[in-house]
Amino acid sequence: MNRLLIALVAVSVAGAAFAQDKKPKPATPKAQTKCAVTDEDLGSMGKPIEIAYKGKNAKYKGKSVKVCCGGCVGKVTKAQDKYFTKVFGK
């Protein structure tokens, strides 16, 4: 009886230790499927255009947003913080 109890305790301790070693996987960002300006489906007006962040804030360094057409490029360029926040959050 004692051996069975010891075995059960050993298995439960080992299982708890193994469960704690697992590291959570980082969240994979979702691919952008809508225009940052119009919320239209990307590709609905031709090939999507990517705009890289060029603001002073390093928060979005190396990231870009996609827009549906050339008409939206100027809007994103003038108000980058607004549209990058819309796509990536704060």
Side-chain angles (χ1 to χ4, degrees), residues 17-37:
F18 178 73
Q20 290 176 356
D21 288 342
K22 291 183 180 179
K23 294 179 182 176
K25 294 180 182 178
T28 305
K30 293 181 181 178
Q32 185 183 344
T33 59
K34 302 283 185 181
C35 173
V37 177

